[in-house]
Amino acid sequence: MTRLRCDQTPAWAALHTHFATAGRQFDLRDAFAQDAGRFAAFSQQAPHVFADLSKNLIDAPTEALLLALARQCGLESQRDAMFAGEEVNASEQRAAKHFLLRNSPLAQERRAQPAINSIALEALEVQRTLDAMLAFAEQVRADASITDIVSIGIGGSDLGPQMAVLALDAFAIQGKRFHFVASVDGDELAGVLKGLRPESTLFLVASKTFTTLETMTNAHSARRWFEAQGGQDMRRHFVALTSNLAAAQSFGISTTFGFWEWVGGRYSLWSAVGLPIAMAIGAANFRDLLAGAHAMDQHFCSAPLARNLPVRLGLLDVWYRNFHRFASRSIAPYSSALKRWPAYLQQLEMESNGKRVDASGQPLTYDTAPVLWGEPGTNGQHAYFQMLHQGTSVVPVEFVAVKQAAHAPHDLPGHHALLLANALAQAQALMNGRPDAGGHKDFPGNRPSTFLLLEALTPASLGALIALQEHRVFVSGAIWGINSFDQWGVELGKVLARDIESRLQSGDVSRLDASTTGLLERLRRP
């Protein structure tokens, strides 16, 4: 696998020169005025997703230099190594084969002969597990006695399934409610359990190791509630999504669905962790979700770099972060069904690429992942869009819109047209501004945005949209020379929390800093 860090390439130096001479002064309004074909050149259809990149601070020379950077960094060989099942997660000595979870034939199409046989065997195992999981999901869907499904997990075991279940509510089964518990804050679990009955509740406990502190704390509390409320036959009401079958059995769970060490948490919704999604939307729709992601996988693997949407988005992220020095990106889904989309992307991108050393552990001299944040429109317009339009920091915005509403238009006439009009208007206003108004009414404009458009929010289109973002994150991580598949930054706080938990009981403050000591003592006061 060819891999060269971006700051060691000729294209990196050329991009710095280009930014100083042309990129810094780039004006979108002039770009559109001078190029009648700009929209066609900087928009494209990918599987299930149309993308308009024309309102971004790029032109053909900029994109040509960014594509040269990608080639010099060995992006294509890095991508091919991942799809060949090579150990791309070096710090944990693992592959990243989440693509196998959505459609095994893709792996067999790759040309890396040494990995084909082992991947083909794993693909068969993946399919067997998927078939068993979906059969169980259909069994639960047909069981009228189960009215509430409580999914207990954290991180990717919570954010992905929760986001997808909410997004695909139009496809969800009637008569069953889906609840998600992630935080160790007891108020969250208590709020979910309030009003539930043990005989009609099914708990799904998602933890690869079955040792995750927050998840197991909530699982033990859920079991105590179940028993205290007179619940019978725990084995029927608890299911484990884990690789640690022995621990699940020791807990009292007999129904388990496993997944593999190469399934990272933020890529796990395609695996058994996606069981609540399958229960909500059914086996056929879950397969459509996988098929949409597979279609985007094929696009990423086969489309020329210049017309490869994940590549173009990932390179745009590098251009904004390292040259324009934009520190954040706002996610604005104009669909209430995508209300958890910003939170999902926060983990996907910031946990993947929020790194300060390269893949070999050497410090970086440039910035990596931006801060992602946002809210669904039009709510965001009445909250933070003031800053986007008139604030002192430029924040690129990524709009997501859906052409066809999930509700029947004749039931709520005018709603969807107004929603789409607002999305288009905000992107237009950010670009054009109103720079001649003066004073408080001055809008500088020239503020960039990307517009992603789905025909409809379906399992297939959601799958493609998620996979698009996964591959985009891979692209920017590959350019930066980092390992996008580990997350060592989450470990230190866990270790310290275990120490402080015991100190909260004992009152021992020895060897603590003054601030932690003061807070701990205050928390211990009657």
Side-chain angles (χ1 to χ4, degrees), residues 157-189:
S157 297
D158 169 74
L159 287 166
Q162 183 180 172
M163 177 275 293
V165 167
L166 290 170
L168 299 175
D169 180 67
F171 296 83
I173 188 171
Q174 299 299 305
K176 296 191 190 298
R177 298 180 298 175
F178 292 83
H179 315 271
F180 293 87
V181 177
S183 175
V184 76
D185 181 354
D187 287 346
E188 182 174 58
L189 179 60

Side-chain angles (χ1 to χ4, degrees), residues 255-278:
T255 302
T256 61
F257 297 95
F259 49 104
W260 301 265
E261 66 173 11
W262 43 259
V263 180
R266 49 195 178 274
Y267 304 94
S268 64
L269 70 85
W270 318 105
S271 72
V273 170
L275 181 58
I277 308 173

Side-chain angles (χ1 to χ4, degrees), residues 137-423:
E138 288 300 317
Q139 178 184 328
V140 173
R141 284 167 59 85
D143 186 349
S145 70
I146 298 296
T147 60
D148 291 271
I149 291 97
V150 180
S151 181
I152 299 175
I154 198 166
S157 297
D158 169 74
L159 287 166
Q162 183 180 172
M163 177 275 293
V165 167
L166 290 170
L168 299 175
D169 180 67
F171 296 83
I173 188 171
Q174 299 299 305
K176 296 191 190 298
R177 298 180 298 175
F178 292 83
H179 315 271
F180 293 87
V181 177
S183 175
V184 76
D185 181 354
D187 287 346
E188 182 174 58
L189 179 60
V192 167
L193 295 177
K194 186 169 53 180
L196 298 187
R197 296 175 298 124
E199 65 271 18
S200 59
T201 302
L202 177 66
F203 292 94
L204 309 179
V205 183
S207 171
K208 184 190 292 187
T209 61
F210 221 67
T211 59
T212 308
L213 177 64
E214 297 92 340
T215 300
M216 296 317 300
T217 298
N218 283 322
H220 282 285
S221 295
R223 184 176 64 180
R224 285 193 297 271
W225 171 87
F226 181 81
E227 293 168 346
Q229 295 294 315
Q232 301 292 321
D233 192 6
M234 184 188 140
R235 291 176 183 272
R236 180 175 177 269
H237 291 272
F238 280 78
V239 173
L241 315 174
T242 183
S243 299
N244 191 343
L245 303 185
Q249 290 169 356
S250 177
F251 184 89
I253 295 176
S254 59
T255 302
T256 61
F257 297 95
F259 49 104
W260 301 265
E261 66 173 11
W262 43 259
V263 180
R266 49 195 178 274
Y267 304 94
S268 64
L269 70 85
W270 318 105
S271 72
V273 170
L275 181 58
I277 308 173
M279 288 178 174
I281 66 175
N285 282 322
F286 191 84
R287 291 189 189 276
D288 284 347
L289 178 78
L290 301 181
H294 175 59
M296 190 61 74
D297 290 341
Q298 291 181 306
H299 170 76
F300 181 47
C301 287
S302 61
L305 296 189
R307 299 299 294 174
N308 192 309
L309 186 54
V311 172
R312 297 179 86 181
L313 287 172
L315 292 176
L316 180 64
D317 296 339
V318 172
W319 176 239
Y320 282 163
R321 190 73 182 104
N322 300 117
F323 298 91
H324 284 277
R325 306 300 296 273
F326 298 151
S328 75
R329 180 165 76 249
S330 181
I331 310 299
Y334 274 68
S335 166
S336 61
L338 290 171
K339 64 184 69 174
R340 294 295 285 167
W341 183 242
Y344 174 76
L345 291 184
Q346 283 177 339
Q347 188 204 19
L348 176 62
E349 185 152 348
M350 293 196 287
E351 189 170 85
S352 295
N353 287 350
K355 311 288 169 62
R356 60 182 297 276
V357 299
D358 65 19
S360 62
Q362 298 303 306
L364 298 173
T365 58
Y366 45 83
D367 292 322
T368 55
V371 175
L372 267 63
W373 54 280
E375 273 288 315
T378 57
N379 306 43
Q381 293 174 203
H382 296 270
Y384 60 84
F385 270 54
Q386 162 66 41
M387 187 197 78
L388 297 179
H389 286 290
Q390 292 185 311
T392 56
S393 297
V394 175
V395 179
V397 181
E398 188 159 289
F399 295 92
V400 183
V402 182
K403 182 178 177 181
Q404 300 174 21
H407 66 266
H410 60 270
D411 290 341
L412 298 168
H415 279 249
H416 199 62
L418 184 58
L419 179 70
L420 293 175
N422 271 272

Side-chain angles (χ1 to χ4, degrees), residues 82-83 126 231 233 254 283 286 347 399 426 484 508 526:
M82 178 178 73
F83 280 95
V126 165
D233 192 6
S254 59
F286 191 84
Q347 188 204 19
F399 295 92
Q426 290 298 324
S484 297
D508 177 20

